[in-house]
Amino acid sequence: MEVFWVNVIGLLLIAWIIWWFWLGPKHKAGKEVAGGEKLHILVKDGVYEPDRIRMPAGRPATLHFCREDPNPCSEWVLFPDLEISAELALHQETLVEIPASAPGEYPFTCQMQMYRGVLVLEP
């Protein structure tokens, strides 16, 4: 009987982990923001907010990241397709310069890819 409960608890724990990291509410379609003169991205509670940013292609831009999450995973933001990475200071604004780039969707993540966002550059 003990083995049964250990297996049930183990399966529930696995289901919870899958939900929390991949299916939970923080991974649903997030807010979408069109780029303005000063675009702030909050890093808090395991997410980027907004997590989808629309900006015009072909023009450089500056993203203002404000990290409030002390989790070590949130220390860096990576834009692999643009070959950009930046260390985010805790409770301070960090500027990330985006060069003029071609239209497309450019994902950005933390170093473990748990925090996720998309930069959409439109023609």
Side-chain angles (χ1 to χ4, degrees):
M1 193 61 166
E2 290 178 24
V3 173
F4 172 77
W5 288 111
V6 168
N7 287 336
V8 168
I9 291 171
L11 289 173
L12 290 173
L13 184 59
I14 290 169
W16 179 81
I17 289 171
I18 289 170
W19 177 81
W20 178 258
F21 286 107
W22 293 287
L23 304 174
K26 67 181 180 180
H27 297 291
K28 301 253 190 273
K31 291 184 179 178
E32 198 167 301
V33 171
E37 289 190 18
K38 193 170 183 182
L39 184 59
H40 290 276
I41 300 162
L42 182 62
V43 183
K44 184 177 179 180
D45 299 328
V47 296
Y48 296 117
E49 189 167 317
D51 62 356
R52 188 168 182 85
I53 303 159
R54 291 186 180 276
M55 302 183 85
R59 295 196 311 208
T62 302
L63 303 178
H64 300 255
F65 282 84
C66 184
R67 177 177 161 230
E68 293 185 8
D69 196 334
N71 184 339
C73 186
S74 67
E75 288 179 357
W76 287 86
V77 63
L78 309 171
F79 291 81
D81 295 340
L82 297 173
E83 297 182 0
I84 297 172
S85 64
E87 187 172 6
L88 305 177
L90 187 60
H91 302 298
Q92 293 180 16
E93 190 173 274
T94 303
L95 303 181
V96 177
E97 301 293 330
I98 305 295
S101 301
E105 291 193 3
Y106 298 93
F108 58 97
T109 66
C110 67
Q111 55 205 6
M112 293 179 63
Q113 298 183 4
M114 292 171 58
Y115 298 63
R116 296 177 186 193
V118 177
L119 175 63
V120 180
L121 298 181
E122 300 176 325

